[in-house]
Amino acid sequence: MSTTTLNPVTGSLQPTLDQVITQPFLRRKKFITTILLALLIISTMAVLVFHAYIAWTLARPHIDPLHSNPLKAVHLPYTNVSFPSQNGKSTLEGWFIPAAASAKTVIFSHGYGGNREEEWVPLYTLARELHKQQYNVLMFDYGYVNPTSNRLMTGGIQESKELLGAIDYIKQTTGGSIYIWGFSMGAGTALQTALQQNGDISGMILDSTFLLNSDTLYQNINQSVHVPKYPSLPLVRMFFPLLNGISLHQVPFTKVTTTSYTMPIFMIHGTSDNKAPYALVESMFKQQHNTASKLWILPNAQHELLYRAEPKTYVSRTMDFLNGIQPTLTAVQVDAGIPSSL
């Protein structure tokens, strides 16, 4: 079918009526298709950028500056200390609070988004209680807390090496039994550290244990911004190593949650914890074979607010747990032939 006709006057070709009608329609269709394609590209880019931003901020949490110190907060003399991580990739800063002639030390392992003083726990109050019970206390910041260190949050991968560095520091300066008291991701980091240590940890208290896996990651993202699990979760997990240089798949979640640890562990969790499900902690506790390990589930208690839910009971139970642990000899003491009853 011809799309043009011959003009009998001018002898030139001219469009038919069908062509006159069809051409504007085709132009409009092409224009609309182009607009829709552009909108699709822009929307896709916006989605990708949004999830890349989530992955970027996840490794760079906002940290408030220190507001006080042990002397000002609870009248405990302290010393500023620094030490390297066990792998030498970071230098950590902290406070050492000595107890008179004590060879027992508790190392606090703070949570994500917090620092060595984590006031909402509150760590100063617990440090004072430990001091009364003749425990030295080490409070330190993980590497990602220091804005000048260029370190990123790694879900416990690098942080476990930093906690091992804290353990090495205590072994070299004070010796004696070492206990880890971890909170939230700091508790998850303590468990990752326990997989790597060589009998240096005498016991652990784990408050509101948080471990990064697909479920907990999505649960926490969704509290800040409501997004569908798919494709949001795969996109964040894809962008995290691209932007931060480390993959969250490196977190040994399965090994951490299925291991029976040699040291006694006191696991404390709340049923209203909206960041870390208490069912996971109950499952982990069932794996433990050390008869001194304990589990305390607080009804209606929220994430990292367990002390505030029942202050007196919290202190009495945690101190009873620590005081009931048989002291562990260090390698130096073993080599010296010191009997285990001391």
Side-chain angles (χ1 to χ4, degrees):
M1 180 178 176
S2 177
T3 58
T4 59
T5 59
L6 183 66
N7 189 315
V9 178
T10 63
S12 62
L13 295 175
Q14 64 181 18
T16 64
L17 179 61
D18 286 345
Q19 191 174 19
V20 170
I21 296 173
T22 302
Q23 284 182 344
F25 172 77
L26 292 175
R27 284 196 297 269
R28 285 196 298 271
K29 183 178 179 181
K30 183 178 181 180
F31 176 76
I32 292 173
T33 301
T34 302
I35 292 297
L36 291 176
L37 181 60
L39 289 174
L40 178 61
I41 293 173
I42 293 172
S43 299
T44 301
M45 289 299 298
V47 169
L48 294 175
V49 170
F50 173 72
H51 288 91
Y53 176 74
I54 292 176
W56 190 87
T57 55
L58 182 64
R60 300 164 178 82
H62 170 76
I63 309 292
D64 287 335
L66 295 172
H67 294 100
S68 187
N69 60 56
L71 186 61
K72 291 180 180 179
V74 286
H75 309 294
L76 294 178
Y78 69 97
T79 302
N80 290 311
V81 299
S82 64
F83 50 87
S85 61
Q86 193 176 79
N87 60 7
K89 291 185 178 181
S90 52
T91 299
L92 298 316
E93 306 290 335
W95 299 317
F96 180 74
I97 305 170
S102 177
K104 304 179 297 181
T105 301
V106 171
I107 301 174
F108 283 142
S109 175
H110 69 76
Y112 175 84
N115 55 32
R116 72 184 83 164
E117 62 183 1
E118 253 185 306
E119 295 176 309
W120 58 87
V121 169
L123 289 188
Y124 286 128
T125 300
L126 296 180
R128 181 179 59 199
E129 296 297 334
L130 288 166
H131 189 265
K132 291 178 182 178
Q133 298 289 326
Q134 295 299 303
Y135 288 90
N136 305 309
V137 177
L138 177 62
M139 307 169 70
F140 77 100
D141 293 333
Y142 281 111
Y144 67 84
V145 172
N146 187 344
T148 64
S149 69
N150 295 320
R151 300 303 314 176
L152 304 177
M153 188 286 303
T154 65
I157 300 167
Q158 170 62 20
E159 290 79 17
S160 62
K161 301 299 184 183
E162 294 171 345
L163 185 52
L164 286 168
I167 292 171
D168 288 341
Y169 173 79
I170 294 300
K171 288 169 58 179
Q172 295 163 10
T173 57
T174 303
S177 300
I178 299 173
Y179 308 91
I180 308 299
W181 197 332
F183 304 86
S184 188
M185 191 176 288
T189 295
L191 288 169
Q192 292 187 54
T193 303
L195 295 175
Q196 306 171 57
Q197 57 93 38
N198 296 310
D200 296 320
I201 302 175
S202 297
M204 298 193 296
I205 299 174
L206 306 179
D207 180 317
S208 306
T209 302
F210 179 90
L211 289 161
L212 264 180
N213 74 340
S214 295
D215 289 335
T216 57
L217 176 59
Y218 174 71
Q219 186 175 345
N220 283 267
I221 290 174
N222 204 40
Q223 288 179 32
S224 300
V225 55
H226 295 295
V227 292
K229 190 170 186 177
Y230 300 99
S232 292
L233 183 58
L235 286 174
V236 171
R237 295 190 74 98
M238 178 189 72
F239 278 118
F240 195 91
L242 294 176
L243 297 173
N244 305 316
I246 194 165
S247 172
L248 294 179
H249 290 290
Q250 294 175 248
V251 177
F253 180 85
T254 301
K255 188 173 183 180
V256 166
T257 55
T258 58
T259 294
S260 176
Y261 296 88
T262 57
M263 76 289 292
I265 303 176
F266 188 11
M267 298 181 176
I268 313 173
H269 220 91
T271 61
S272 294
D273 192 321
N274 61 357
K275 296 184 179 181
Y278 75 92
L280 177 62
V281 173
E282 290 181 321
S283 176
M284 290 174 57
F285 181 74
K286 292 178 181 178
Q287 307 295 324
Q288 307 311 308
H289 296 120
N290 191 308
T291 56
S293 291
K294 297 182 179 181
L295 174 67
W296 182 24
I297 301 295
L298 284 75
N300 304 316
Q302 299 179 25
H303 190 74
E304 281 196 281
L305 299 179
L306 307 181
Y307 168 88
R308 297 184 183 278
E310 296 189 35
K312 292 183 179 180
T313 306
Y314 187 98
V315 170
S316 64
R317 289 198 179 194
T318 52
M319 297 306 153
D320 287 347
F321 171 77
L322 289 174
N323 292 332
I325 297 175
Q326 182 68 27
T328 302
L329 294 180
T330 64
V332 174
Q333 290 173 317
V334 172
D335 291 341
I338 297 176
S340 60
S341 58
L342 294 183

